[in-house]
Amino acid sequence: SQSLEQSEVAADMAKLFESIGKLGLALAIGGGVVNSALFNVDAGHRAVIFDRFRGVQDAVVGEGTHFLIPWVQKPIIFDCRSRPRNVPVITGSK
């Protein structure tokens, strides 16, 4: 009778671990899809979205985290920061 109870407990534990494994797999797949649908635009950068069906979209995307449709849209990120530039000039005085 005790070995029967132990086998029932073992079967229940196996079912529990199997359901936890299925839930973990579903969460991992869902997290991967959500992660592939997000992209970041850093400070000083802008992005335009290339859509495989409609081409480059007119809207410019600013800084922050944004959504896109995975495998259909792709962000193209541009650096808009100004950079100092030294121009060498030959003069008689400073």
Side-chain angles (χ1 to χ4, degrees), residues 51-71:
D51 192 311
R52 292 183 194 269
F53 302 116
R54 295 182 287 171
V56 177
Q57 296 181 358
D58 290 333
V60 176
V61 179
E63 304 163 352
T65 301
H66 305 281
F67 289 101
L68 55 81
I69 302 168
W71 305 290

Side-chain angles (χ1 to χ4, degrees), residues 44 49 64 67 78:
I49 304 296
F67 289 101
F78 293 95

Side-chain angles (χ1 to χ4, degrees), residues 14-86:
K15 288 180 185 178
L16 176 67
F17 286 132
E18 183 179 344
S19 63
I20 289 173
K22 287 179 182 178
L23 178 65
L25 180 63
L27 286 174
I29 291 171
V33 169
V34 168
N35 190 34
S36 67
L38 293 174
F39 71 98
N40 287 325
V41 179
D42 294 329
H45 294 75
R46 298 291 181 265
V48 292
I49 304 296
F50 174 75
D51 192 311
R52 292 183 194 269
F53 302 116
R54 295 182 287 171
V56 177
Q57 296 181 358
D58 290 333
V60 176
V61 179
E63 304 163 352
T65 301
H66 305 281
F67 289 101
L68 55 81
I69 302 168
W71 305 290
V72 175
Q73 295 177 332
K74 177 183 174 187
I76 302 169
I77 299 175
F78 293 95
D79 186 0
C80 298
R81 295 177 290 187
S82 62
R83 295 185 190 97
R85 197 170 106 179
N86 292 331

